[in-house]
C-alpha cells in the first residue's frame, strides 16, 4: 500500500470531529460556544450603568450639532463648542465607570469598546466640524479640511479597535498604559481653547474689521482640525492618563477656558453665550 493510501485510510478511520471541538492528546473536548448575552432578551444591546456616560456623551454632542445647525434659531457656535467639551468630559470617565461593574463578560467588554468608538466618531468627528460650519466656514476648500479631519479620526478609531483586540487577546495583558497616536477624544479639550482664541476679535477689538475677524477665525480653527488630524495618524506613544491624571487635566482645561472667557469678555467685549456669527 502506498504512503498516500495509508494516510487516506488513517483519515477515514478517525472519528468525526466537530468544527467547534478541540483535540488534545487524541481526546475530543467540546469547546464552549461564544454567544451574546445582552441585558434583556427582548432588546438588543447592553443596558446598564457601565455605558451610561458613553450614551450621555453622544446625546450632548447631538445637542451641540443641533445648535450649530440653527435648530430653533440662529447658529450657535458657542453652545455647540460648549457641548463638545461636556461630551469629552463624559467620555473621559466612561471607562472608569464601566470597570466598576463586576463579572463583565468578554462580549460585554467588546460591546463597550465598539459602542464607544461609534459614539466617538459623532461626538468628536462630526460635532467639532459643525462648530466650524456654524462659524461661517462654509466655502468648498473648508470641506477638504473637514474631510481630512474626520477621515483621520475614523482611521484612528479603527486602528485602536484592532490594536485593543490584539492586545487583550494576549494572556495577562493587563491594563493599557499608552496609546499610539492622539486619541480622537482629545479634540474636545482643544476645541474650546481654540474657539475662544479664534473669536476674540468678533466684536471689533483692537480695530479688527469683520472681514479680518473672519480670516482670524478661519486660520485658527482650520489649524485645529489639521493639527488634530495629523496627530491622530502619526505614530507616537502617548501615556494614558488614569484617574488622577484625568482630574488634573480636567481642572487645567477648565481653568484655561474660564480664563480665556474672562479675557474675551472684559478685554474684547465678547460675551460667553451669544450668537457670535450671523450666517443664516
Amino acid at each position: 500500500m502506498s504512503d498516500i493510501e495509508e494516510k487516506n485510510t488513517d483519515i477515514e478511520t478517525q472519528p468525526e470531529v466537530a468544527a467547534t471541538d478541540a483535540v488534545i492528546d487524541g481526546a475530543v473536548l467540546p469547546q464552549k460556544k461564544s454567544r451574546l448575552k445582552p441585558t434583556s432578551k427582548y432588546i438588543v444591546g447592553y443596558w446598564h450603568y457601565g455605558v451610561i456616560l458613553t450614551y450621555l456623551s453622544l446625546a450632548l454632542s447631538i445637542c451641540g450639532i443641533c445648535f450649530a445647525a440653527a435648530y430653533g434659531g440662529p447658529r450657535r457656535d458657542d453652545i455647540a463648542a460648549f457641548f463638545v467639551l461636556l461630551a469629552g468630559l463624559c467620555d473621559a470617565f466612561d471607562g472608569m465607570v464601566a470597570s466598576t461593574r463586576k463579572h463583565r463578560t468578554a462580549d460585554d467588554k467588546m460591546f463597550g469598546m465598539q459602542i464607544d468608538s461609534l459614539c466617538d466618531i459623532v461626538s468628536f468627528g462630526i460635532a467639532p466640524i459643525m462648530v466650524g460650519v456654524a462659524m461661517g466656514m462654509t466655502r468648498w476648500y473648508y470641506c477638504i479640511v473637514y474631510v481630512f479631519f474626520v477621515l483621520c479620526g475614523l482611521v484612528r478609531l479603527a486602528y485602536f479597535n484592532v490594536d485593543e483586540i490584539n492586545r487583550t487577546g494576549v494572556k495577562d495583558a493587563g491594563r493599557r498604559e499608552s496609546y499610539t497616536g492622539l486619541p480622537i477624544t482629545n479634540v474636545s479639550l482643544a476645541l474650546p481653547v481654540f474657539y475662544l482664541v479664534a473669536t476674540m476679535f468678533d466684536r471689533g477689538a483692537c480695530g479688527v474689521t469683520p472681514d479680518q475677524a473672519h480670516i482670524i477665525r478661519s486660520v485658527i480653527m482650520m489649524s485645529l482640525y489639521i493639527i488634530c488630524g495629523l496627530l491622530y495618524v502619526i505614530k507616537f506613544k502617548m501615556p494614558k492618563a488614569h484617574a488622577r491624571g484625568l482630574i488634573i487635566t480636567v481642572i487645567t482645561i477648565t481653568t484655561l477656558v474660564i480664563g480665556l472667557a474672562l479675557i474675551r469678555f472684559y478685554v474684547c467685549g465678547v460675551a460667553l453665550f451669544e450668537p457670535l456669527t450671523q450666517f443664516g
Side-chain angles (χ1 to χ4, degrees), residues 63-207:
C63 291
I65 291 173
C66 290
F67 278 105
Y71 184 80
R75 293 181 181 179
R76 298 301 302 267
D77 45 354
D78 52 341
I79 296 180
F82 181 68
F83 272 119
V84 172
L85 174 61
L86 292 181
L89 296 179
C90 290
D91 185 85
F93 297 98
D94 62 352
M96 287 189 291
V97 172
S99 63
T100 60
R101 292 186 63 247
K102 297 181 180 179
H103 310 299
R104 296 171 66 199
T105 64
D107 290 332
D108 196 353
K109 294 178 181 179
M110 184 69 69
F111 177 84
M113 182 181 69
Q114 296 295 338
I115 204 70
D116 186 66
S117 292
L118 292 171
C119 290
D120 284 353
I121 196 61
V122 177
S123 301
F124 313 113
I126 305 302
I129 67 173
M130 286 302 298
V131 175
V133 172
M135 295 174 70
M137 289 170 269
T138 55
R139 300 276 186 172
W140 64 269
Y141 42 82
Y142 293 124
C143 189
I144 298 175
V145 179
Y146 295 150
V147 171
F148 170 78
F149 171 76
V150 177
L151 181 60
C152 290
L154 182 65
V155 171
R156 171 66 179 76
L157 289 170
Y159 181 86
F160 170 78
N161 285 358
V162 174
D163 183 59
E164 185 67 10
I165 291 172
N166 292 334
R167 188 188 69 85
T168 54
V170 179
K171 186 178 180 181
D172 299 328
R175 66 178 185 176
R176 177 179 287 275
E177 297 296 336
S178 64
Y179 295 109
T180 301
L182 181 72
I184 187 175
T185 54
N186 284 266
V187 71
S188 64
L189 303 179
L191 177 66
V193 176
F194 275 72
Y195 172 81
L196 289 171
V197 174
T199 54
M200 283 284 185
F201 306 100
D202 274 22
R203 291 293 179 263
C206 300

Side-chain angles (χ1 to χ4, degrees), residues 239-259:
K240 179 180 179 180
H242 297 293
R244 183 178 179 181
L246 285 174
I247 294 173
I248 294 175
T249 302
V250 169
I251 294 175
T252 302
I253 294 298
T254 302
T255 303
L256 180 59
V257 168
I258 293 175

Side-chain angles (χ1 to χ4, degrees), residues 4-62:
I4 297 178
E5 290 175 345
E6 289 178 358
K7 291 179 181 178
N8 291 339
T9 302
D10 292 339
I11 294 174
E12 292 175 357
T13 56
Q14 289 178 356
E16 185 177 352
V17 179
T20 57
D21 294 342
V23 179
I24 301 177
D25 296 333
V28 180
L29 301 176
Q31 292 183 346
K32 293 182 180 180
K33 295 182 179 180
S34 176
R35 188 174 66 180
L36 289 173
K37 295 182 180 179
T39 307
S40 171
K41 63 180 180 180
Y42 302 107
I43 304 176
V44 298
Y46 295 81
W47 301 87
H48 48 69
Y49 76 88
V51 292
I52 189 64
L53 285 183
T54 301
Y55 294 156
L56 180 58
S57 174
L58 177 66
L60 290 169
S61 63
I62 293 295

